[in-house]
């Protein structure tokens, strides 16, 4: 069960958005496995790892955080991902 879940609307092609997401995760030292429809990712933070998955449907990407450090709030994770994908 997801600890956090949020939807992001986007106007670019799904492949471009997923590529951007993958680039941000791997540049931060994380792992990313997926395609234009769905996938999983893990990224380390100074307070512990964040693990999640995503699905793309139309122009919406749904991100589910399945594990995160107790001290890292869902709103912080969502804000960071929104900023990185703009």
């Amino acid at each position: 069960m997801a600890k956090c879940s949020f939807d992001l609307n986007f106007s670019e092609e799904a492949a471009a958005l997923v590529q951007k997401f993958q680039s941000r995760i791997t540049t931060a030292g994380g792992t990313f496995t997926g395609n234009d429809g769905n996938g999983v990712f893990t990224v380390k933070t100074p307070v512990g790892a964040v693990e999640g998955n995503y699905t793309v449907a139309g122009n919406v990407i749904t991100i589910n955080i399945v594990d995160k450090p107790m001290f890292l709030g869902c709103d912080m994770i969502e804000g960071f991902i929104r900023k990185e994908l703009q």
Side-chain angles (χ1 to χ4, degrees), residues 2-6 21 24-26 28-33 39-54 63-81:
K3 294 182 183 253
C4 308
S5 183
F6 50 92
F21 191 38
R24 299 303 194 274
I25 295 292
T26 57
T31 60
F32 184 98
T33 305
V40 297
F41 60 90
T42 302
V43 66
K44 293 181 182 174
T45 75
V47 294
V50 173
E51 297 177 21
N53 60 63
Y54 70 90
I63 298 178
N64 298 300
I65 304 301
V66 296
D67 197 19
K68 67 175 191 63
M70 178 174 47
F71 301 109
L72 191 57
C74 291
D75 56 338
M76 292 178 71
I77 295 169
E78 180 178 353
F80 179 80
I81 291 174

Side-chain angles (χ1 to χ4, degrees), residues 1 7 12 17-18 21 23 46-47 50 55 59 73 76 81 86:
M1 179 172 213
D7 294 332
E12 61 195 292
L17 179 75
V18 170
F21 191 38
S23 175
V47 294
V50 173
T55 55
N59 285 48
M76 292 178 71
I81 291 174
Q86 288 182 350

